[in-house]
Structure formats: structure tokens, C-alpha cells
Amino acid sequence: MGPAYKQQTTSEGAKLAGVNKVILVGNLGRDPELRSTNNGLQIAKFSLATTEKRNDEEQTEWHNVVAFGRQAETAGQYLKKGSKVYIEGSLHTSNYEKDGEKRYRTEITCRNFQFLDSRPQEPRQQSLKPDEVEEDFTDDIPF
């Protein structure tokens, strides 16, 4: 995994920086699929749906996301189908051959993600009902 940008030059020699950055907010289409490499690196793969509303019509795009290392471990532990997440990463395309035909697969390599689902709140302390309040005031209160 290289940096999200690469230095390029124009024909005049001016330097331009290429940027490969993707930001998505969407919902998981399936539970993350976890694997480990031979050297123990964790890999998580999952699909992410992003939906835009245009002219009262919804259009959903599906994205293939892959996370590595600690990101993969966290995704495997806490994300599940339907989870809403914010993902930052970069776009990567690979090719392979199937049935003699060259095919392409585009994935988002996740560099960072944040949970957007509301988390269950801590149970509140129950307040006592008026008839359960103990009155053991021994001091006389002057007012």
C-alpha cells in the first residue's frame, strides 16, 4: 500500500501531485469476511452500499472494500450487515482472467473508518420513586 498521492510531471517539467482518495458513507451489504495471510496479517473484505437521491429516485452504488491489519480486526469485531460507516481510503483496480476473458475488479483500500450507528446508551441509574425515598434526617432543619 503506497501513499495516497504520487508525484507526476508535465511535458513542461512542472510537478503535479496525483491524488487517489475515496470517502464513502454507507451501509454494509454483508458481514465482513475475515482472513489471515501466512504471516498473520488480518484482511477484511465487505461490500458497502451508498445511496443517492436524485429527482425523487434513489440510486444505489455497491463498493468492494478491503481493510488490513488493525482496521481489519476492528471491522471484523464490530461491523455487521447493515452497519452505517464512514470510510476513507484509496481506489485500486486489479485484473484477472476467467474463462479466457480479462476481468477487472475495483476495490477501496480502507485506511480509516468510523462507526456512524448510534451506540446503545449506558443504562441510566434508576431514580427512587417517592414512596421509596428513605427519610432518616436526624438533624432539625431551621427552615
Side-chain angles (χ1 to χ4, degrees), residues 108-121:
I108 310 303
T109 299
C110 177
R111 297 203 191 299
N112 182 34
F113 71 88
Q114 295 178 6
F115 307 107
L116 297 179
D117 288 326
S118 58
R119 294 187 178 163
Q121 293 183 1

Side-chain angles (χ1 to χ4, degrees), residues 1-6 20 89-90 92 109 111:
M1 294 188 295
Y5 66 91
K6 196 188 310 186
N20 182 359
S90 54
H92 296 276
T109 299
R111 297 203 191 299

Side-chain angles (χ1 to χ4, degrees), residues 68-88:
F68 296 92
R70 185 70 186 125
Q71 295 286 337
E73 292 172 29
T74 304
Q77 274 186 303
Y78 297 105
L79 296 180
K80 64 183 191 299
K81 181 179 180 176
S83 295
K84 189 172 198 79
V85 292
Y86 165 93
I87 292 180
E88 278 185 35

Side-chain angles (χ1 to χ4, degrees), residues 2 16-17 23 51 63-64 73 79 86 93 99 107 118 121 134 137 139 141:
L16 300 175
I23 296 174
T51 304
H63 311 275
N64 298 307
E73 292 172 29
L79 296 180
Y86 165 93
T93 304
D99 301 326
E107 294 178 323
S118 58
Q121 293 183 1
E134 293 181 22
F137 296 108
D139 294 13
I141 301 175

Side-chain angles (χ1 to χ4, degrees), residues 4-139:
Y5 66 91
K6 196 188 310 186
Q7 199 75 4
Q8 297 177 352
T9 57
T10 64
S11 58
E12 292 84 29
K15 293 193 178 203
L16 300 175
V19 177
N20 182 359
K21 185 168 186 169
V22 176
I23 296 174
L24 299 171
V25 174
N27 297 83
L28 267 68
R30 64 176 194 264
D31 291 347
E33 178 185 309
L34 284 175
R35 287 193 234 146
S36 287
T37 62
N38 291 337
N39 64 0
L41 178 68
Q42 294 287 317
I43 301 171
K45 291 186 174 189
F46 53 91
S47 60
L48 187 78
T50 57
T51 304
E52 291 182 283
K53 194 171 186 179
R54 293 184 185 160
N55 302 327
D56 295 330
E57 189 175 310
E58 287 187 349
Q59 181 177 351
T60 301
E61 291 287 334
W62 287 94
H63 311 275
N64 298 307
V65 181
V66 62
F68 296 92
R70 185 70 186 125
Q71 295 286 337
E73 292 172 29
T74 304
Q77 274 186 303
Y78 297 105
L79 296 180
K80 64 183 191 299
K81 181 179 180 176
S83 295
K84 189 172 198 79
V85 292
Y86 165 93
I87 292 180
E88 278 185 35
S90 54
L91 200 59
H92 296 276
T93 304
S94 57
N95 62 61
Y96 60 97
E97 209 168 296
K98 184 177 180 181
D99 301 326
E101 188 176 317
K102 194 170 191 175
R103 297 182 181 228
Y104 296 90
R105 178 172 177 85
T106 303
E107 294 178 323
I108 310 303
T109 299
C110 177
R111 297 203 191 299
N112 182 34
F113 71 88
Q114 295 178 6
F115 307 107
L116 297 179
D117 288 326
S118 58
R119 294 187 178 163
Q121 293 183 1
E122 294 290 321
R124 291 188 224 171
Q125 288 184 335
Q126 293 183 337
S127 58
L128 295 173
K129 295 178 184 171
D131 58 345
E132 294 174 331
V133 176
E134 293 181 22
E135 293 187 34
D136 66 359
F137 296 108
T138 56
D139 294 13

